[in-house]
Amino acid sequence: MYQVKLQKHNTEAHGIKYRNGLHCTARILKTEGIRGLYTGATSSFIGVAFQSSIFFGIYSQTKQSLQGGLQSDKPLPKVIIPTAAFGGAIVSFVLCPSELVKCRMQVQRTDSLVPISRRYSSPLDCALQTLKSEGATGIFRGGLTTFLRESLGNAVFFSVYEYVRYYMHSQLKAASFEHSNLFDMGVGIVSGGLGGVAFWSAVLPLDVAKTIIQTSPDRSSTRNPFRAFPANAAAIVPWELSMKMLGIKHD
């Protein structure tokens, strides 16, 4: 919730409306109550549920197909990167509509451009009004940005996840560390956590652009994510650092 509001209002305001996540959360609690923190949760839960089931199914099957008869335990970039990017590209078509509804529900109460009479009463009402006023393409507004975010982000996430997991298993095996369920849990937490940091470091500018595009009240405003980057130029730095750390060239 606070991520969307920080991205939307701090980018468009002439000053800083929310100082940080804690300040934003406190403002939401004061003006909207506990329920305000969960605005748009329904569409988000549905989108994430579908995204997870579809993505991991695609990832495992595509990875197995690309590996072919290779028996190497070492992660292969030529397998991981295209597999994760392909899975991300597919799930972006599920995530885009659900995130559009979520973002619009979350910003409408604090967006002075949206009169009370025109505010959405529920995620379903938001989806129906969007379809009615903007057509079928309206529900997929920000689709290109979501596509790029999921493709690039998941390629980075799984590259980091697979390599960290492989490295930790190798080091602990060399140290004759006794394997256990607790060991697997620890590896999963570290590899998944670092993968998540890498994901958002790489695609945060795209996520900001997506929020702005999807919540803009002006239907004629640009839907090109690269036009939204100048306002968030500083966020490009983590992307460059992540690419350099992963050894991925992008000349």
Side-chain angles (χ1 to χ4, degrees):
M1 158 64 91
Y2 65 81
Q3 178 185 353
V4 172
K5 292 198 174 189
L6 280 169
Q7 292 175 347
K8 167 71 174 178
H9 297 300
N10 280 4
T11 302
E12 295 185 348
H14 294 292
I16 299 298
K17 187 167 185 175
Y18 302 113
R19 292 191 296 272
N20 50 48
L22 183 61
H23 179 233
C24 182
T25 301
R27 287 279 297 275
I28 294 170
L29 287 170
K30 182 178 180 179
T31 58
E32 303 176 40
I34 294 292
R35 292 183 61 184
L37 294 175
Y38 295 92
T39 303
T42 302
S43 59
S44 183
F45 289 154
I46 293 174
V48 170
F50 275 106
Q51 178 240 353
S52 298
S53 59
I54 294 172
F55 180 85
F56 285 104
I58 293 173
Y59 181 77
S60 60
Q61 291 298 316
T62 307
K63 182 182 176 184
Q64 187 176 7
S65 299
L66 290 178
Q67 281 181 327
L70 297 175
Q71 299 299 320
S72 176
D73 292 331
K74 188 174 182 179
L76 301 173
K78 64 180 181 181
V79 172
I80 296 171
I81 293 175
T83 299
F86 175 67
I90 297 299
V91 300
S92 69
F93 292 96
V94 175
L95 285 176
C96 182
S98 67
E99 291 198 6
L100 179 139
V101 171
K102 179 199 72 172
C103 290
R104 292 189 175 186
M105 289 289 294
Q106 289 178 346
V107 303
Q108 66 174 348
R109 291 188 181 183
T110 49
D111 194 335
S112 60
L113 296 176
V114 182
I116 296 177
S117 60
R118 292 181 55 192
R119 290 179 182 174
Y120 311 117
S121 59
S122 67
L124 179 60
D125 179 50
C126 178
L128 292 175
Q129 284 199 44
T130 301
L131 285 169
K132 183 178 179 180
S133 61
E134 301 180 39
T137 58
I139 203 70
F140 286 97
R141 189 173 189 178
L144 174 60
T145 323
T146 309
F147 178 90
L148 292 173
R149 186 196 69 182
E150 291 301 308
S151 299
L152 295 173
N154 279 293
V156 172
F157 174 88
F158 277 95
S159 294
V160 173
Y161 167 77
E162 296 279 11
Y163 272 97
V164 171
R165 182 173 177 274
Y166 172 77
Y167 178 78
M168 291 186 69
H169 275 287
S170 299
Q171 292 298 310
L172 293 173
K173 186 182 292 184
S176 300
F177 189 85
E178 186 177 350
H179 190 277
S180 65
N181 290 333
L182 185 61
F183 161 76
D184 287 335
M185 184 182 298
V187 171
I189 290 172
V190 174
S191 57
L194 290 175
V197 170
F199 178 102
W200 286 110
S201 295
V203 300
L204 185 59
L206 285 168
D207 192 58
V208 175
K210 179 194 71 67
T211 299
I212 296 171
I213 291 169
Q214 291 185 330
T215 57
S216 174
D218 183 7
R219 287 189 294 170
S220 63
S221 64
T222 180
R223 299 188 184 189
N224 185 342
F226 301 105
R227 294 285 296 277
F229 272 23
N232 310 281
I236 293 294
V237 175
W239 160 265
E240 296 290 344
L241 292 175
S242 299
M243 295 290 280
K244 184 176 181 180
M245 290 173 62
L246 292 170
I248 301 174
K249 296 181 179 180
H250 55 94
D251 297 334

